[in-house]
Amino acid sequence: MKIHHLFWSICLCFSTHILFAQNYQKTSSGIKTTVNAVDIEVQFFAPAVARVIKSPEGVAYEKQSLSVIAKPEKVSFKADIQDNKIVLNTSELSVSVDTGTGIVSYFSKDGKTLLTEKSGMQFIDFDDAGTKTYQVYQPFVLDKEEAIYGLGQLQNGKMIQRNMTKNLIQGNVEDVSPFFQSTKGYGVFWDNYSPTLFTDNEVETSFRSEVGDCVDYYFMYGKNADGVIAQVRSLTGQAPMFPLWTYGYWQSKERYKSQEEVVDVVRKYRELGIPLDGIIQDWQYWGHNYLWNAMDFQNPTFNNPQKMIEDVHAMNAHMAISIWSSFGPMTKPYRELDKKGMLFDFTTWPQSGLESWPPNMEYPSGVRVYDAYNPEARDIYWKYLNDGIFKLGMDAWWMDSTEPDHLDWKPEDMDTKTYLGSFRKVRNAYPLMTVGGVYDHQRAVTSDKRVFILTRSGFLGQQRYGANVWSGDVASTWESFRNQIPAGLNFSLCGMPHWNSDIGGFFAGHYNKSWNDDSASKNPLYQELYVRWLQFGTFNPMMRSHGTDVYREIYKFGKKGEPVYDAIEKMIGLRYSLLPYIYSTSWEVSNRQSSFMRALMMDFVDDRKVWDINDEYMFGKSILVAPIAHAQYTPEAVVKVSEEEGWNRDGAKKTETDVAVDFTETKSTNIYLPAGTLWYDFWTNEKHEGGKEIAKETTLDVIPLYVKAGSIIPVGPQVQYATEKPWDHLELKVYAGANGNFILYEDEFDNYNYEKGAYTEIPISWNNASRKLTIGARKGAYEGMLKNRKFTVTLQDGTQKSVDYSGKAVSVKF
């Protein structure tokens, strides 16, 4: 009997082992299992990054990510069965898969629940333009109190992206990415490119995509916002360095109508002594709309583009030019792409071959969007861009309509065939593909000039392509201005660090007396909005003035000695004085996965009051920026303008123009200073305790700025362009009250030699207890670097000491 009992005990143990073994299969990067007729795979890309893929049992599919360029790693992990769950443990993360429900949950190493899926995941059969696939849906359960951020750039004015339903589809003024990160220190990227409904309510937080062969998402645990962003970039690509000059001031408008006008604007800035580094030429340098985006100068007012570029360069400025994702039927690119079936048939901008508004559809433009998903089409695009423009010496690209424009939308448009399947399947990734095509091709041509692309749309991963995304054709209203602040912050929280908006808003015609008289630059209502927007733009990764209806050049707003002109001049000058700080921050962005525009929760997550502040942020890790986003001197004009209606100037509601205003009056605004540190008023050096709201007196030329205790801010010389003077005598502003560190970064400013190690770092530290500043030994070298220089160290109380520096460590004691 004992032998018989022992035999069955052994059999039972053996059978149980087989049963458990059949619950999952261990792979080199994770596990595979099947639960309730759903195949589930967990792959580790790093100890704190897991990819989850789900598909109907036994259904084969191919999924090549467009955003993620990383590969699964051989991560050390343990897998076992605990309480009917497959539990995977790495050094950073614990992931469990419920063997009864298939629900996947995530835990920190100390057992804290980070995120868990909710039951109800769906695959709904869907015919995608003749291809059998699915609509896919995955819900999650979030804590009631946690805040989430991201989803790209939305115009909803919200900082926290909760309690909302949003259809994520690319548009002119909204750039979407199905990604969010939480105040609990994790992020989720839903790797799907079709239109996707994001829902967050008291029941669930979910993604529902129109088409997908599988549920595919990445969970990353960074412990804090910077950590999550580092994981995003590890997955989807690092942000390369931009040239120093791109961080200077850019002037643009819709549009300069001749090459003489372009050159004259730069000349006028030089004559006035106003710093300028970039000038942008908008559309129609190619001629009429049938030649749309010809990548050729067929407009007779641009009859010598080579000379135009050389004239701009001779004044030590740089130039960008507008290029589009579509072509007119009379262009060479159109003809070649059309023969190969690489053009889409849905309606895009412009709809008429005539320039009149509204579009005269008796003369359709025939303009069509090209298939940027097709590598051969991207080759053709670059061939004409290179031969027609880049070889002339053009410095940068303004890639407009990269969402792309999709007008008169019809459901069947989404069935349009692309190289990668239906347009529906890959819709939201269009900007990633077209911008990436230009970046990759220019990098293949030369490493002597860094790629710089200003573009209207973005998708996760686009940061690897030298792209600075702007917020589209937003209206010139205070409400629109206010919306740009959280839009830029949430975009940055997706891991894409370069962002800006049209300073002053794009559609400003309602401030004119009549639609074509250009009186808005003299209208106090618009002047106040423009100055406040410009102050915000000073603390964006790109400082660029642009719009239609109104001239945007400083000399159109008055003259020196007048409040509006002086306020604009002051901000441009401040931008240039901060270039050493900004350029060093750009190195932190590229080399250490940091961010320029930092939502307050990034640095002060323990202060719950900052979680939902949508009108303040950190620029770099030292400067708190609090734009004045409400009118103080003039009544706010409430005008609803969309990017399409904005062109209909005849129908635009007009605002007041004759308003008596004294822009020299002192006003007041309230600022919240985050807890946990001391703060210094940038303008007055007045000290404040954090964790409270204060009143700040302002004038038109003052934006509230506060510097965190322990900060070290390098200040550069007064210049007319970014590289006019070497940084051989910098001021180091030191704000005592806490220990602090800063790394001053320098390289050759406009090539890719830094990727080969041609750069220097000078570590600078402040010891608050000993009141000693140490400028550490220089690390690295590059051709033409400064070997000797002087620093003037200034404490916030005005105390100064100078020191000579030759690359060896030196200290200054106060």
Side-chain angles (χ1 to χ4, degrees):
M1 291 292 292
K2 290 181 179 179
I3 294 174
H4 183 265
H5 179 74
L6 179 62
F7 172 77
W8 282 110
S9 296
I10 292 171
C11 289
L12 180 62
C13 291
F14 183 68
S15 299
T16 303
H17 176 73
I18 293 175
L19 178 64
F20 283 171
Q22 289 175 339
N23 275 331
Y24 70 90
Q25 172 193 347
K26 194 170 182 180
T27 68
S28 61
S29 59
I31 60 106
K32 291 181 179 179
T33 189
T34 301
V35 180
N36 297 333
V38 175
D39 289 336
I40 302 173
E41 182 173 5
V42 179
Q43 298 176 343
F44 286 108
F45 278 63
V49 179
R51 179 191 186 190
V52 172
I53 313 165
K54 301 180 183 180
S55 59
E57 183 177 5
V59 175
Y61 62 90
E62 286 188 19
K63 171 68 185 290
Q64 178 64 48
S65 181
L66 301 179
S67 290
V68 176
I69 58 175
K71 302 297 181 185
E73 294 183 4
K74 275 199 169 183
V75 174
S76 177
F77 70 94
K78 293 181 179 179
D80 57 14
I81 299 286
Q82 299 175 13
D83 299 326
N84 296 321
K85 292 180 175 64
I86 307 167
V87 180
L88 312 177
N89 285 298
T90 74
S91 60
E92 298 289 336
L93 192 63
S94 180
V95 182
S96 75
V97 182
D98 192 302
T99 58
T101 63
I103 288 176
V104 182
S105 302
Y106 305 88
F107 306 87
S108 63
K109 290 309 294 180
D110 60 5
K112 181 177 67 175
T113 301
L114 300 172
L115 178 69
T116 186
E117 295 178 349
K118 185 176 183 290
S119 61
M121 182 269 301
Q122 295 175 351
F123 296 98
I124 301 173
D125 288 341
F126 184 75
D127 184 335
D128 182 28
T131 299
K132 182 183 181 304
T133 184
Y134 308 96
Q135 294 180 344
V136 291
Y137 160 77
Q138 176 65 63
F140 301 90
V141 178
L142 270 62
D143 290 347
K144 183 179 179 180
E145 298 302 319
E146 72 180 294
I148 62 172
Y149 308 89
L151 301 180
Q153 168 208 279
L154 306 182
Q155 297 290 340
N156 58 14
K158 290 167 64 75
M159 191 63 236
I160 295 175
Q161 302 295 311
R162 297 211 64 176
N163 302 309
M164 57 182 273
T165 299
K166 179 66 181 178
N167 188 33
L168 302 178
I169 185 168
Q170 303 291 14
N172 181 314
V173 298
E174 292 197 321
D175 304 330
V176 299
S177 288
F179 167 87
F180 67 83
Q181 66 160 292
S182 165
T183 45
K184 293 172 73 173
Y186 70 83
V188 174
F189 171 44
W190 177 257
D191 195 7
N192 186 292
Y193 322 115
S194 70
T196 296
L197 187 70
F198 172 80
T199 300
D200 179 83
N201 54 37
E202 65 278 0
V203 177
E204 67 182 38
T205 302
S206 63
F207 292 103
R208 183 185 295 274
S209 292
E210 289 189 7
V211 59
D213 295 325
C214 58
V215 164
D216 187 358
Y217 72 88
Y218 293 78
F219 177 91
M220 57 209 81
Y221 183 46
K223 300 181 182 178
N224 54 42
D226 280 307
V228 172
I229 288 171
Q231 301 285 19
V232 169
R233 297 203 197 135
S234 293
L235 285 172
T236 64
Q238 302 297 335
M241 289 289 288
F242 287 157
L244 174 63
W245 63 267
T246 65
Y247 295 109
Y249 177 68
W250 290 73
Q251 188 60 66
S252 179
K253 74 165 190 174
E254 189 282 307
R255 62 186 167 85
Y256 297 122
K257 297 185 178 179
S258 70
Q259 66 183 67
E260 287 76 16
E261 187 180 5
V262 171
V263 174
D264 283 346
V265 169
V266 180
R267 184 177 296 115
K268 185 70 171 177
Y269 270 81
R270 292 290 179 253
E271 291 171 352
L272 290 171
I274 304 297
L276 177 76
D277 264 278
I279 186 83
I280 305 177
Q281 176 57 47
D282 206 340
W283 57 13
Q284 294 177 341
Y285 59 88
W286 48 71
H288 54 68
N289 288 355
Y290 297 112
L291 287 172
W292 189 264
N293 194 37
M295 296 178 176
D296 195 6
F297 293 84
Q298 292 300 316
N299 188 327
T301 63
F302 292 85
N303 61 347
N304 193 343
Q306 180 84 64
K307 184 177 186 303
M308 172 181 66
I309 297 170
E310 289 173 354
D311 287 346
V312 169
H313 288 172
M315 290 183 282
N316 297 294
H318 296 77
M319 189 170 181
I321 199 162
S322 172
I323 55 176
W324 287 60
S325 301
S326 53
F327 295 97
M330 301 298 183
T331 64
K332 295 176 183 177
Y334 181 104
R335 295 199 289 271
E336 182 170 351
L337 290 162
D338 189 33
K339 285 179 183 177
K340 295 176 179 288
M342 298 175 182
L343 295 171
F344 300 152
D345 285 330
F346 55 74
T347 304
T348 192
W349 176 279
Q351 292 170 283
S352 173
L354 308 180
E355 294 184 26
S356 58
W357 187 272
N360 186 338
M361 298 312 293
E362 292 187 7
Y363 299 91
S365 69
V367 173
R368 294 165 70 189
V369 173
Y370 92 106
D371 185 357
Y373 306 100
N374 189 320
E376 185 181 357
R378 297 195 296 270
D379 291 344
I380 293 169
Y381 189 98
W382 173 256
K383 178 178 70 173
Y384 289 100
L385 182 59
N386 185 40
D387 292 345
I389 303 179
F390 187 58
K391 286 182 178 178
L392 299 177
M394 190 59 63
D395 301 297
W397 310 112
W398 182 13
M399 297 188 69
D400 210 334
S401 187
T402 46
E403 49 293 339
D405 275 308
H406 183 185
L407 309 178
D408 298 335
W409 185 89
K410 302 183 293 294
E412 56 267 30
D413 291 348
M414 302 301 274
D415 292 338
T416 297
K417 297 290 187 181
T418 79
Y419 181 80
L420 296 178
S422 74
F423 189 50
R424 176 186 297 104
K425 183 178 182 180
V426 290
R427 170 72 183 91
N428 285 337
Y430 190 90
L432 180 69
M433 304 306 291
T434 189
V435 169
V438 172
Y439 176 85
D440 286 340
H441 280 93
Q442 185 175 325
R443 283 298 311 258
V445 167
T446 179
S447 291
D448 294 332
K449 179 183 288 190
R450 294 179 194 168
V451 182
F452 182 78
I453 297 171
L454 170 66
T455 183
R456 196 170 76 184
S457 193
F459 191 80
L460 198 69
Q462 203 161 308
Q463 74 280 350
R464 67 180 181 255
Y465 290 137
N468 191 315
V469 174
W470 99 93
S471 60
D473 299 340
V474 297
S476 301
T477 68
W478 286 94
E479 180 184 11
S480 179
F481 170 36
R482 287 190 284 270
N483 288 345
Q484 302 319 298
I485 304 171
L489 294 174
N490 275 290
F491 187 82
S492 298
L493 283 164
C494 291
M496 293 174 282
H498 292 97
W499 178 92
N500 71 110
S501 65
D502 289 344
I503 289 175
F506 186 73
F507 294 112
H510 52 91
Y511 288 101
N512 288 332
K513 291 182 178 179
S514 60
W515 76 265
N516 64 345
D517 71 353
D518 190 40
S519 58
S521 56
K522 300 296 188 291
N523 182 348
L525 278 77
Y526 183 68
Q527 288 178 328
E528 183 182 6
L529 174 64
Y530 182 82
V531 167
R532 294 310 190 194
W533 207 318
L534 182 97
Q535 290 169 346
F536 167 59
T538 304
F539 297 93
N540 287 180
M542 183 181 189
M543 185 183 186
R544 179 188 59 91
S545 172
H546 177 72
T548 191
D549 309 314
V550 179
Y551 285 99
R552 305 303 174 102
E553 296 77 23
I554 185 174
Y555 44 84
K556 295 294 184 178
F557 287 88
K559 58 187 179 183
K560 196 171 184 64
E562 296 176 351
V564 174
Y565 183 103
D566 289 351
I568 296 171
E569 181 182 30
K570 180 178 180 178
M571 283 300 107
I572 296 174
L574 176 60
R575 175 74 174 197
Y576 277 83
S577 71
L578 290 174
L579 282 181
Y581 174 80
I582 294 170
Y583 198 63
S584 296
T585 298
S586 76
W587 177 241
E588 290 289 317
V589 168
S590 292
N591 190 52
R592 297 180 177 90
Q593 297 80 47
S594 190
S595 301
F596 283 103
M597 296 176 66
R598 303 174 59 82
L600 295 183
M601 53 73 61
M602 295 184 72
D603 297 299
F604 309 99
V605 70
D606 292 334
D607 184 351
R608 292 286 294 268
K609 292 181 180 178
V610 310
W611 285 12
D612 204 25
I613 290 180
N614 65 353
D615 57 359
E616 299 178 23
Y617 62 98
M618 298 295 292
F619 186 64
K621 294 185 178 179
S622 296
I623 303 174
L624 185 147
V625 182
I628 294 178
H630 291 268
Q632 294 178 313
Y633 296 90
T634 61
E636 288 194 12
V638 179
V639 180
K640 299 295 182 182
V641 181
S642 74
E643 61 271 19
E644 291 183 29
E645 295 168 348
W647 289 104
N648 190 1
R649 300 177 177 91
D650 291 329
K653 179 183 175 183
K654 300 301 167 188
T655 62
E656 297 179 69
T657 57
D658 299 318
V659 179
V661 174
D662 181 2
F663 279 135
T664 64
E665 289 182 353
T666 298
K667 302 292 183 178
S668 180
T669 189
N670 292 330
I671 311 295
Y672 179 77
L673 298 177
T677 187
L678 292 173
W679 295 94
Y680 294 92
D681 187 309
F682 178 84
W683 304 106
T684 67
N685 287 321
E686 183 181 359
K687 185 166 65 175
H688 300 274
E689 291 282 349
K692 62 182 181 180
E693 187 176 274
I694 64 168
K696 166 65 179 172
E697 286 192 351
T698 63
T699 47
L700 183 69
D701 65 340
V702 170
I703 175 177
L705 303 171
Y706 293 85
V707 183
K708 187 172 64 173
S711 294
I712 302 165
I713 297 180
V715 177
Q718 289 187 348
V719 292
Q720 295 301 294
Y721 54 93
T723 57
E724 181 186 14
K725 299 175 184 177
W727 293 347
D728 56 356
H729 188 175
L730 296 181
E731 180 183 11
L732 298 178
K733 288 192 171 183
V734 178
Y735 294 83
N739 294 335
N741 297 279
F742 188 84
I743 297 175
L744 179 67
Y745 173 84
E746 293 166 295
D747 60 18
E748 295 174 63
F749 294 142
D750 193 3
N751 58 43
Y752 288 99
N753 289 342
Y754 74 89
E755 293 181 343
K756 304 172 186 177
Y759 63 85
T760 62
E761 293 180 316
I762 299 177
I764 308 169
S765 62
W766 169 255
N767 186 301
N768 196 63
S770 63
R771 293 181 62 81
K772 183 170 72 174
L773 183 83
T774 299
I775 304 171
R778 181 174 54 227
K779 301 175 183 178
Y782 62 91
E783 187 175 346
M785 73 177 189
L786 284 170
K787 295 182 179 179
N788 299 289
R789 70 206 312 161
K790 184 183 289 291
F791 289 106
T792 297
V793 183
T794 306
L795 294 192
Q796 80 284 342
D797 63 5
T799 306
Q800 282 191 335
K801 289 190 177 183
S802 292
V803 60
D804 293 320
Y805 180 79
S806 60
K808 296 180 180 179
V810 62
S811 295
V812 183
K813 189 169 175 57
F814 289 85

